[in-house]
Amino acid sequence: RVSGPILNRYIRDDGEEWMIHWTFRPDSGFDEKVVPGATTGYIGAGFSNDGIAWDVSKAALKPNTEDWWYFDTVHCCVGDVQLLSSDVIRSDGSVYFMYFHGGDDEIVTVGSDEVKGYRTRIGVAVSLDGRHWSRIEGEHANGSILDVGEEDCFDADFVAYPQVIKVGSKYQMYYHSYDRKTGLYGIGLAVSSTGLEFKRVQKDPIRVEGEDNAFFAKGVSSRHVIQKRDGTFEMFFEGVSESEEHSIGRAISADGISWDVPRSSPILTKGEASDWDGGGVGKPRIVIMDDQSIRLYYTGWDSKSSSTAIGLAVSDGTDWNNLVRHSWEPRM
């Protein structure tokens, strides 16, 4: 099972270079008590010159089994990869930062189940080539850079799928959680001056609303936020309906904190029941091409099994609401 594609496209002197990181769980040899049914486990990496055909390397990051006190000893999952420069990290140039979440062997009661690895926290690793990664120990005792919230916070159970953007001189981290008190998914916001130490802005999720919230009535979870040239923000997000159907929507914001959803319907919905993504779609990641069209990479669920795969949809020119599935169906 593979999911959560994180795509980056770079223009080099000799052409394009594409990089993908994703999360996968092996079919065998993995502890079945760790969040059963999830795709979290290891983080993989791949490289391409067109974003379609990939040279896939071995696992780029595995659970940290060497340091027993760490937050990610049983599973990990990539949330974002960015090429950043930092005054804290000494190098001759920019460094790849990977923001990820992971869980340890603590058992949490979820309904009638005892679940290992449910209480996830967020960490960071760095790399010079995107293939080989080293964790940076965070300020918290468990090595994380963002811990779960206090009991009165919406994110008291877990924090997951971090994405970081630099706005001016500060770093903004978007992440999501699930509030068992309200039964809603929500997006949290934390800020940093270094990209390594984050403080949450508020105990409640940020506002994401529209005139008709039906397709995300149970909230929003994984997302990809971009800041446009005019300073405004766009977000492609995974919405969850009252019937637990997952689809991908689009929101806009002037400040990156309060969001409006202008459409009453998603921009990408699940495929037909017989399709590989007939069970739902989510975990969006966009790449803006030179002609201002977009590629939307996403995770799809098979309605007939528990398998997941990574798909691609492309926009009709600059109309980012009009997406057509690409025939490519990568299976990492």
Side-chain angles (χ1 to χ4, degrees), residues 178-197:
Y178 176 76
D179 190 341
R180 285 196 275 175
K181 299 185 294 294
T182 63
L184 299 175
Y185 295 91
I187 296 173
L189 179 64
V191 296
S192 169
S193 61
T194 64
L196 298 174
E197 299 171 351

Side-chain angles (χ1 to χ4, degrees), residues 77-100:
C77 176
V78 64
D80 196 14
V81 174
Q82 295 280 353
L83 187 60
L84 300 172
S85 59
S86 172
D87 294 335
V88 179
I89 305 297
R90 296 185 63 183
S91 71
D92 293 332
S94 296
V95 177
Y96 294 103
F97 282 62
M98 176 191 289
Y99 296 95
F100 64 97

Side-chain angles (χ1 to χ4, degrees), residues 152-203:
D152 62 340
C153 295
F154 90 101
D155 55 1
D157 271 344
F158 66 84
V159 288
Y161 291 99
Q163 186 219 337
V164 174
I165 63 173
K166 193 170 185 180
V167 181
S169 61
K170 69 178 181 179
Y171 299 86
Q172 291 187 180
M173 174 189 287
Y174 299 90
Y175 62 92
H176 87 261
S177 189
Y178 176 76
D179 190 341
R180 285 196 275 175
K181 299 185 294 294
T182 63
L184 299 175
Y185 295 91
I187 296 173
L189 179 64
V191 296
S192 169
S193 61
T194 64
L196 298 174
E197 299 171 351
F198 284 85
K199 304 295 183 184
R200 58 179 39 78
V201 172
Q202 59 192 41
K203 67 179 183 179

Side-chain angles (χ1 to χ4, degrees), residues 16-260:
E16 296 183 12
E17 180 185 36
W18 291 71
M19 185 181 298
I20 185 172
H21 292 85
W22 73 95
T23 302
F24 68 97
R25 179 170 293 193
D27 294 330
S28 60
F30 196 84
D31 188 346
E32 296 180 355
K33 296 180 180 179
V34 176
V35 195
T39 56
T40 55
Y42 304 154
I43 297 170
F47 301 84
S48 171
N49 59 16
D50 61 3
I52 302 294
W54 295 93
D55 175 19
V56 177
S57 63
K58 295 181 179 179
L61 198 69
K62 296 180 179 181
N64 185 357
T65 57
E66 297 180 359
D67 301 317
W68 61 266
W69 65 89
Y70 242 70
F71 68 95
D72 63 340
T73 55
V74 298
H75 69 133
C76 57
C77 176
V78 64
D80 196 14
V81 174
Q82 295 280 353
L83 187 60
L84 300 172
S85 59
S86 172
D87 294 335
V88 179
I89 305 297
R90 296 185 63 183
S91 71
D92 293 332
S94 296
V95 177
Y96 294 103
F97 282 62
M98 176 191 289
Y99 296 95
F100 64 97
H101 72 264
D104 58 22
D105 60 3
E106 177 189 1
I107 302 296
V108 176
T109 301
V110 183
S112 59
D113 299 321
E114 300 292 311
V115 182
K116 182 188 294 187
Y118 183 80
R119 199 176 309 285
T120 59
R121 298 167 171 91
I122 291 171
V124 64
V126 295
S127 172
L128 294 177
D129 61 4
R131 300 175 185 267
H132 306 91
W133 295 87
S134 298
R135 289 172 172 83
I136 295 181
E137 187 169 353
E139 62 178 330
H140 299 284
N142 51 36
S144 67
I145 62 172
L146 187 70
D147 209 333
V148 295
E150 301 292 336
E151 288 187 11
D152 62 340
C153 295
F154 90 101
D155 55 1
D157 271 344
F158 66 84
V159 288
Y161 291 99
Q163 186 219 337
V164 174
I165 63 173
K166 193 170 185 180
V167 181
S169 61
K170 69 178 181 179
Y171 299 86
Q172 291 187 180
M173 174 189 287
Y174 299 90
Y175 62 92
H176 87 261
S177 189
Y178 176 76
D179 190 341
R180 285 196 275 175
K181 299 185 294 294
T182 63
L184 299 175
Y185 295 91
I187 296 173
L189 179 64
V191 296
S192 169
S193 61
T194 64
L196 298 174
E197 299 171 351
F198 284 85
K199 304 295 183 184
R200 58 179 39 78
V201 172
Q202 59 192 41
K203 67 179 183 179
D204 298 316
I206 60 177
R207 187 189 74 87
V208 182
E209 295 181 357
E211 291 186 6
D212 184 352
N213 295 354
F215 78 90
F216 59 102
K218 293 198 69 173
V220 293
S221 56
S222 59
R223 87 263 29 108
H224 186 194
V225 175
I226 61 170
Q227 185 175 26
K228 302 176 72 175
R229 294 176 180 174
D230 62 3
T232 62
F233 297 82
E234 294 227 14
M235 175 170 65
F236 295 77
F237 65 88
E238 179 179 341
V240 185
S241 71
E242 195 66 43
S243 62
E244 297 285 345
E245 183 170 314
H246 293 245
S247 58
I248 294 173
R250 184 180 172 197
I252 56 176
S253 173
D255 59 9
I257 299 175
S258 182
W259 294 85
D260 294 304

